Amino acid sequence: MLTHSDAGANSLAVMAKNLAAAQLSRRERQVLDALYRAGRATCAEVQKAMADPPSYSAVRTFLRILEEKELVRHEQDGARYVYIPTIEKARASRSALRHVLNTFFGGSVTQVICALLDEDSKHLSENDWQRLSLIIEEARKGEK
């Protein structure tokens, strides 16, 4: 028998798995990003928060699709629906990153870091380089 905490952990695991497996369209990602920025929002608020937004009915459709993928849920507030992400942004970011890591880089963190540095290293400040060095050093200490 599952306890309440077991059920909660299972629910989070299922949602994280859904996020990792979900192939989101560009517009679905934009809607989800707008919702993450707001924390909770109506369809109209999501639409307003988007750059170059689609029609109101299209945003409603994207929110429904995201609900079907269990990435968003809604609560009724009077006559309107308020949408809320089902996974906190940090967990969703890690799950999406893990998916990219496994799909495009064969699970190699080194390949991902090299690709990012090849792409963006000329834009890093001295503070960025120092921070990266500290993170690498702390990670190495954690291995021992």
Side-chain angles (χ1 to χ4, degrees):
M1 176 171 226
L2 290 178
T3 66
H4 180 67
S5 62
D6 289 338
N10 283 344
S11 176
L12 284 175
V14 168
M15 288 184 276
K17 182 180 174 194
N18 289 345
L19 181 65
Q23 295 297 325
L24 299 181
S25 71
R26 177 179 62 90
R27 284 298 198 183
E28 289 168 352
R29 280 192 314 274
Q30 288 175 339
V31 167
L32 194 54
D33 286 345
L35 194 52
Y36 273 125
R37 284 191 305 274
R40 56 186 293 125
T42 64
C43 180
E45 291 166 339
V46 168
Q47 183 189 28
K48 186 176 179 180
M50 294 175 68
D52 188 31
S55 69
Y56 178 85
S57 63
V59 174
R60 278 187 41 208
T61 299
F62 290 125
L63 286 165
R64 181 185 48 76
I65 291 167
L66 291 168
E67 269 194 296
E68 289 170 3
K69 293 180 179 183
E70 298 181 16
L71 301 175
V72 168
R73 66 181 175 84
H74 74 269
E75 294 175 352
Q76 194 141 5
D77 180 21
R80 38 183 226 159
Y81 282 179
V82 177
Y83 294 88
I84 304 125
T86 58
I87 305 171
E88 72 267 8
K89 187 172 184 172
R91 182 183 297 258
S93 297
R94 285 189 306 273
S95 179
L97 184 57
R98 176 67 52 197
H99 178 69
V100 168
L101 174 78
N102 291 330
T103 302
F104 297 104
F105 296 94
S108 171
V109 172
T110 302
Q111 285 183 18
V112 171
I113 291 170
C114 289
L116 290 170
L117 288 175
D118 285 348
E119 184 69 28
D120 205 35
S121 63
K122 61 185 164 276
H123 301 293
L124 295 174
S125 69
E126 185 57 36
N127 284 342
D128 292 333
W129 285 109
Q130 287 175 1
R131 183 163 183 254
L132 287 170
S133 294
L134 285 172
I135 291 169
I136 292 168
E137 194 57 39
E138 287 175 12
R140 290 179 101 182
K141 289 177 185 174
E143 282 183 358
K144 295 178 181 175

